[in-house]
Structure formats: structure tokens, C-alpha cells
Amino acid sequence: QVQLKESGGGLVQAGGSHRLSCAASGSSFSLISLNYMGWYRQTPGNQRELVATITRGGSTTYADSVKGRFTISRDNAKNTVYLQMNSLKPEDTAVYYCKAQSAGLDIYWGQGTQVTVSS
């Protein structure tokens, strides 16, 4: 079993930067098996949408809406994934969720952290 804990949410001005962190905890075996980690976001009344993903090997994908502004990174030694958000826009306001998937396709979600971008 894996637990994910996001941190770093808050209020940011438009055009500013902010960084989210997601720390994974659990048994060593479970943590080593986490091949895929990513960030998703959700606004009221809308489905959760992909923001960025990263594999254990460092391959990344991004939603078109954040390409060039957000950067996902991962510290495998710390079992932590980061989301650096630059040039933030009011439409980036959402609850951001961390997701992890094991090689056995087990899926884990964090509890979410609110990011609010003021105009």
C-alpha cells in the first residue's frame, strides 16, 4: 500500500510561480514499484484532468494548457514528485491531485491541495 501526501498549495498572483510536492510513503517494495507518477487537477463541476506525468526513468508528458509553463520532476531517492508552476494564470486555479501507479497497475491518489491564482 502506498500513501501520497501533497503539499505546497496556496494563493498565488497571476504571473507568479509556485511549486507543489507529493511525497509517497509505504513499504520499500511498493515504492520501488511506482513506475508512473503524475499531477491532475479538478475544478468544481468538471472532471479531473491530467496536468503532467513522469515515469521512473524520467519521461514526461504535459497537457497542452501547461506546456512551457509547468515542469514535473521526480526524486526517486526521496519518493517525491514535484510540479513547478510558472506564469500562473487564473484558469490554473484548481485542486491539484497527485497520482501514482505501480508496475502492477495499482493506482493511488493523494487527498489534493488547493491552488488559487488571483488576477
Side-chain angles (χ1 to χ4, degrees):
Q1 192 72 7
V2 172
Q3 293 79 42
L4 302 176
K5 176 68 173 176
E6 301 102 336
S7 61
L11 178 64
V12 189
Q13 285 193 330
S17 297
H18 206 65
R19 190 176 82 159
L20 302 179
S21 301
C22 172
S25 61
S27 69
S28 296
F29 176 80
S30 296
L31 293 173
I32 289 174
S33 74
L34 293 180
N35 179 50
Y36 161 109
M37 297 188 76
W39 289 97
Y40 288 68
R41 65 187 182 187
Q42 188 172 23
T43 53
N46 294 308
Q47 289 188 334
R48 198 169 295 186
E49 64 176 11
L50 181 148
V51 176
T53 68
I54 187 167
T55 66
R56 177 168 286 276
S59 297
T60 59
T61 60
Y62 294 93
D64 288 343
S65 59
V66 306
K67 279 181 182 176
R69 300 189 298 121
F70 290 12
T71 301
I72 189 170
S73 61
R74 179 173 178 167
D75 186 333
N76 290 328
K78 295 183 178 179
N79 297 303
T80 299
V81 63
Y82 305 97
L83 185 68
Q84 177 66 42
M85 304 181 290
N86 299 328
S87 301
L88 281 161
K89 304 175 181 180
E91 51 263 44
D92 294 319
T93 295
V95 177
Y96 283 73
Y97 294 90
C98 179
K99 177 184 178 182
Q101 182 172 307
S102 71
L105 303 183
D106 294 316
I107 294 174
Y108 307 94
W109 289 96
Q111 83 288 349
T113 186
Q114 176 72 45
V115 174
T116 301
V117 183
S118 63
S119 57

